[in-house]
Amino acid sequence: MKIEVWSDFVCPFCYIGKRRLEIALEKFEYKDEVELIFKSFELDPSAKKKFDGNINEIIAKKYGIPVEQAKASNNQIATQAKVIGLNYNFDDLVPTNTFDAHRVAHYAKTQGKMNELSERILKAYFVDSLNISDHKVLASLACEVGLNSEKALSILESDKYSNEVRKDEETASKLGISGVPYFVINNKYTISGAQPSEIFLEALEKAREEE
Protein backbone atom coordinates (compact mmCIF):
# COMPACT_ATOMS: atom_id res chain seq x y z
CA MET A 1 0.00 0.00 0.00
CA LYS A 2 1.28 3.43 -0.95
CA ILE A 3 0.47 6.69 0.81
CA GLU A 4 1.69 9.93 -0.77
CA VAL A 5 1.75 12.93 1.55
CA TRP A 6 1.97 16.48 0.22
CA SER A 7 3.08 18.85 2.98
CA ASP A 8 5.22 21.82 3.93
CA PHE A 9 7.59 22.12 6.86
CA VAL A 10 6.09 25.41 8.11
CA CYS A 11 2.50 24.13 7.96
CA PRO A 12 1.27 23.46 11.51
CA PHE A 13 -1.54 21.21 10.32
CA CYS A 14 0.90 19.14 8.25
CA TYR A 15 2.75 18.02 11.38
CA ILE A 16 -0.55 17.34 13.15
CA GLY A 17 -1.86 15.42 10.13
CA LYS A 18 1.35 13.40 9.87
CA ARG A 19 1.11 12.39 13.51
CA ARG A 20 -2.59 11.51 13.27
CA LEU A 21 -1.82 9.31 10.25
CA GLU A 22 0.93 7.60 12.25
CA ILE A 23 -1.49 7.02 15.14
CA ALA A 24 -3.88 5.38 12.66
CA LEU A 25 -1.08 3.25 11.22
CA GLU A 26 -0.25 1.94 14.70
CA LYS A 27 -3.80 0.54 14.84
CA PHE A 28 -3.69 -0.78 11.26
CA GLU A 29 -3.15 -4.52 11.05
CA TYR A 30 -1.17 -4.25 7.80
CA LYS A 31 1.01 -1.27 8.69
CA ASP A 32 4.16 -3.17 7.65
CA GLU A 33 2.84 -3.18 4.08
CA VAL A 34 2.50 0.60 3.95
CA GLU A 35 5.00 2.77 2.09
CA LEU A 36 4.93 6.45 3.10
CA ILE A 37 6.13 8.87 0.41
CA PHE A 38 6.51 12.54 1.28
CA LYS A 39 5.96 15.09 -1.47
CA SER A 40 7.12 18.71 -1.55
CA PHE A 41 4.64 21.58 -1.34
CA GLU A 42 5.51 25.18 -0.51
CA LEU A 43 2.74 27.20 1.11
CA ASP A 44 4.54 30.33 -0.05
CA PRO A 45 7.26 29.76 -2.67
CA SER A 46 8.09 33.48 -2.53
CA ALA A 47 8.64 33.48 1.23
CA LYS A 48 11.76 35.30 2.38
CA LYS A 49 14.48 33.51 4.31
CA LYS A 50 14.33 36.19 6.99
CA PHE A 51 11.22 37.99 8.22
CA ASP A 52 10.76 41.01 10.45
CA GLY A 53 8.55 40.26 13.43
CA ASN A 54 7.28 37.04 14.96
CA ILE A 55 4.77 34.62 13.44
CA ASN A 56 1.81 36.24 15.20
CA GLU A 57 2.71 39.64 13.77
CA ILE A 58 3.30 38.19 10.29
CA ILE A 59 -0.06 36.41 10.24
CA ALA A 60 -1.84 39.49 11.59
CA LYS A 61 -0.38 41.61 8.80
CA LYS A 62 -1.09 39.01 6.10
CA TYR A 63 -4.77 38.63 7.01
CA GLY A 64 -5.43 42.12 8.32
CA ILE A 65 -6.36 40.99 11.81
CA PRO A 66 -5.21 42.08 15.29
CA VAL A 67 -2.04 40.42 16.61
CA GLU A 68 -4.04 39.16 19.61
CA GLN A 69 -6.40 37.33 17.25
CA ALA A 70 -3.51 35.73 15.38
CA LYS A 71 -1.94 34.65 18.67
CA ALA A 72 -5.24 33.19 19.89
CA SER A 73 -5.58 31.22 16.67
CA ASN A 74 -2.05 29.84 17.00
CA ASN A 75 -2.73 28.94 20.64
CA GLN A 76 -5.72 26.90 19.50
CA ILE A 77 -3.53 25.04 16.99
CA ALA A 78 -0.92 24.44 19.71
CA THR A 79 -3.63 22.94 21.92
CA GLN A 80 -4.62 20.52 19.13
CA ALA A 81 -0.97 19.56 18.66
CA LYS A 82 -0.41 18.97 22.38
CA VAL A 83 -3.20 16.37 22.47
CA ILE A 84 -1.10 14.14 20.19
CA GLY A 85 2.21 14.87 21.90
CA LEU A 86 3.52 17.79 19.83
CA ASN A 87 4.68 20.76 21.89
CA TYR A 88 4.49 23.66 19.45
CA ASN A 89 6.35 26.84 20.38
CA PHE A 90 4.78 29.54 18.20
CA ASP A 91 6.28 32.41 20.20
CA ASP A 92 9.87 31.55 19.25
CA LEU A 93 9.62 29.84 15.87
CA VAL A 94 11.62 31.28 12.98
CA PRO A 95 9.47 31.98 9.87
CA THR A 96 11.44 31.29 6.70
CA ASN A 97 11.50 29.82 3.19
CA THR A 98 11.30 26.01 2.93
CA PHE A 99 12.70 25.30 -0.55
CA ASP A 100 16.12 24.15 0.68
CA ALA A 101 14.52 22.00 3.39
CA HIS A 102 12.53 20.24 0.68
CA ARG A 103 15.68 19.78 -1.41
CA VAL A 104 17.59 18.12 1.41
CA ALA A 105 14.55 15.92 2.12
CA HIS A 106 14.79 14.65 -1.46
CA TYR A 107 18.45 13.84 -0.88
CA ALA A 108 17.34 11.93 2.24
CA LYS A 109 14.89 10.01 0.06
CA THR A 110 17.76 8.64 -2.02
CA GLN A 111 19.25 7.30 1.21
CA GLY A 112 16.02 5.83 2.56
CA LYS A 113 15.76 8.53 5.25
CA MET A 114 13.08 10.90 3.96
CA ASN A 115 10.56 10.03 6.67
CA GLU A 116 13.11 10.45 9.45
CA LEU A 117 14.44 13.75 8.13
CA SER A 118 10.97 15.16 7.45
CA GLU A 119 10.00 14.43 11.05
CA ARG A 120 13.21 16.02 12.33
CA ILE A 121 12.76 19.20 10.25
CA LEU A 122 9.15 19.59 11.42
CA LYS A 123 10.26 19.26 15.04
CA ALA A 124 13.13 21.67 14.43
CA TYR A 125 10.69 24.30 13.19
CA PHE A 126 7.71 23.92 15.49
CA VAL A 127 9.34 22.70 18.70
CA ASP A 128 13.04 23.62 18.68
CA SER A 129 12.73 27.10 17.11
CA LEU A 130 15.52 26.48 14.59
CA ASN A 131 16.00 28.26 11.27
CA ILE A 132 15.20 25.54 8.73
CA SER A 133 16.51 27.53 5.78
CA ASP A 134 20.00 27.75 7.30
CA HIS A 135 22.22 25.29 5.46
CA LYS A 136 24.31 24.42 8.50
CA VAL A 137 21.18 23.74 10.54
CA LEU A 138 19.77 21.49 7.82
CA ALA A 139 23.09 19.63 7.45
CA SER A 140 23.16 19.09 11.22
CA LEU A 141 19.60 17.75 11.18
CA ALA A 142 20.55 15.42 8.32
CA CYS A 143 23.46 14.16 10.40
CA GLU A 144 21.12 13.49 13.35
CA VAL A 145 19.11 11.01 11.27
CA GLY A 146 22.21 9.21 10.00
CA LEU A 147 23.08 11.12 6.84
CA ASN A 148 26.45 12.58 5.94
CA SER A 149 26.38 16.24 7.00
CA GLU A 150 29.16 17.29 4.60
CA LYS A 151 27.33 15.67 1.70
CA ALA A 152 24.09 17.36 2.75
CA LEU A 153 25.85 20.72 3.00
CA SER A 154 27.42 20.38 -0.45
CA ILE A 155 23.98 19.56 -1.91
CA LEU A 156 22.43 22.56 -0.21
CA GLU A 157 25.14 24.85 -1.56
CA SER A 158 24.34 23.64 -5.10
CA ASP A 159 20.98 23.49 -6.87
CA LYS A 160 20.66 19.71 -6.64
CA TYR A 161 17.17 18.27 -6.12
CA SER A 162 15.55 21.55 -7.16
CA ASN A 163 13.89 19.74 -10.08
CA GLU A 164 12.53 17.07 -7.75
CA VAL A 165 10.86 19.70 -5.58
CA ARG A 166 9.37 21.43 -8.61
CA LYS A 167 8.11 18.12 -10.07
CA ASP A 168 6.24 17.38 -6.82
CA GLU A 169 4.69 20.82 -6.92
CA GLU A 170 3.71 20.43 -10.58
CA THR A 171 2.05 17.11 -9.78
CA ALA A 172 0.18 18.75 -6.91
CA SER A 173 -1.05 21.42 -9.29
CA LYS A 174 -2.22 18.82 -11.83
CA LEU A 175 -4.09 16.98 -9.07
CA GLY A 176 -5.75 20.22 -8.01
CA ILE A 177 -4.06 20.27 -4.60
CA SER A 178 -4.24 23.83 -3.32
CA GLY A 179 -3.76 23.20 0.39
CA VAL A 180 -1.85 20.82 2.62
CA PRO A 181 -1.63 18.34 4.20
CA TYR A 182 -3.04 16.22 1.40
CA PHE A 183 -2.91 12.42 1.43
CA VAL A 184 -3.37 10.04 -1.50
CA ILE A 185 -3.80 6.34 -0.72
CA ASN A 186 -3.08 3.87 -3.53
CA ASN A 187 -3.67 6.60 -6.14
CA LYS A 188 -7.37 6.34 -5.30
CA TYR A 189 -8.45 7.61 -1.91
CA THR A 190 -7.70 11.19 -0.92
CA ILE A 191 -7.79 12.88 2.47
CA SER A 192 -7.46 16.63 2.72
CA GLY A 193 -6.39 18.30 5.94
CA ALA A 194 -5.36 17.06 9.38
CA GLN A 195 -8.33 14.74 9.83
CA PRO A 196 -8.89 12.66 13.00
CA SER A 197 -6.91 9.42 13.10
CA GLU A 198 -10.19 7.46 12.83
CA ILE A 199 -10.73 8.89 9.34
CA PHE A 200 -7.25 7.77 8.29
CA LEU A 201 -7.79 4.29 9.72
CA GLU A 202 -11.13 3.93 7.93
CA ALA A 203 -9.52 4.90 4.61
CA LEU A 204 -6.60 2.53 5.17
CA GLU A 205 -8.90 -0.39 5.89
CA LYS A 206 -11.09 0.37 2.87
CA ALA A 207 -8.06 0.59 0.59
CA ARG A 208 -6.70 -2.70 1.96
CA GLU A 209 -10.01 -4.48 1.35
CA GLU A 210 -9.95 -3.44 -2.28
CA GLU A 211 -6.37 -4.41 -2.98
Side-chain angles (χ1 to χ4, degrees):
M1 184 181 294
K2 181 175 72 172
I3 305 177
E4 294 170 302
V5 185
W6 271 267
S7 63
D8 196 8
F9 295 114
V10 294
C11 164
F13 292 108
C14 291
Y15 202 4
I16 291 171
K18 178 179 183 291
R19 189 63 85 248
R20 286 177 177 169
L21 170 62
E22 290 165 349
I23 290 168
L25 284 170
E26 284 303 311
K27 299 174 183 176
F28 184 53
E29 185 179 353
Y30 306 97
K31 66 177 181 180
D32 293 337
E33 300 175 10
V34 175
E35 179 188 10
L36 269 180
I37 303 166
F38 288 93
K39 300 284 192 176
S40 301
F41 189 101
E42 293 172 276
L43 287 175
D44 182 5
S46 65
K48 297 180 290 186
K49 284 198 170 186
K50 185 174 177 59
F51 285 84
D52 295 323
N54 61 41
I55 191 65
N56 298 319
E57 293 166 343
I58 292 165
I59 289 173
K61 184 177 180 181
K62 181 177 180 179
Y63 294 105
I65 60 175
V67 173
E68 295 75 17
Q69 186 178 336
K71 185 174 177 64
S73 177
N74 282 333
N75 286 342
Q76 288 178 349
I77 296 170
T79 299
Q80 285 186 50
K82 200 170 185 68
V83 170
I84 51 174
L86 302 175
N87 296 306
Y88 282 9
N89 181 9
F90 278 107
D91 289 339
D92 297 321
L93 63 75
V94 184
T96 191
N97 184 285
T98 59
F99 186 66
D100 287 342
H102 284 294
R103 286 200 302 119
V104 78
H106 274 280
Y107 159 59
K109 183 180 182 180
T110 68
Q111 306 299 309
K113 293 280 189 179
M114 195 178 203
N115 194 345
E116 292 87 345
L117 185 58
S118 294
E119 171 70 25
R120 186 63 190 94
I121 295 173
L122 284 162
K123 181 176 182 289
Y125 183 72
F126 285 106
V127 181
D128 301 332
S129 307
L130 298 177
N131 181 348
I132 61 166
S133 67
D134 184 289
H135 289 181
K136 289 182 179 179
V137 168
L138 288 170
S140 176
L141 297 176
C143 183
E144 284 184 37
V145 301
L147 297 169
N148 185 302
S149 61
E150 290 183 8
K151 174 70 173 174
L153 193 58
S154 70
I155 285 166
L156 287 162
E157 289 173 351
S158 71
D159 64 352
K160 286 183 179 177
Y161 299 103
S162 294
N163 287 339
E164 284 77 358
V165 176
R166 295 301 181 220
K167 282 177 186 174
D168 280 355
E169 294 176 337
E170 284 169 17
T171 302
S173 180
K174 288 175 184 175
L175 291 173
I177 300 171
S178 58
V180 287
Y182 193 90
F183 307 82
V184 180
I185 303 173
N186 281 353
N187 296 315
K188 184 175 182 181
Y189 294 101
T190 62
I191 297 174
S192 178
Q195 300 295 332
S197 56
E198 292 80 11
I199 299 293
F200 285 111
L201 184 57
E202 188 179 306
L204 289 167
E205 288 173 344
K206 192 170 184 179
R208 181 62 174 77
E209 284 172 13
E210 295 184 3
E211 277 191 328

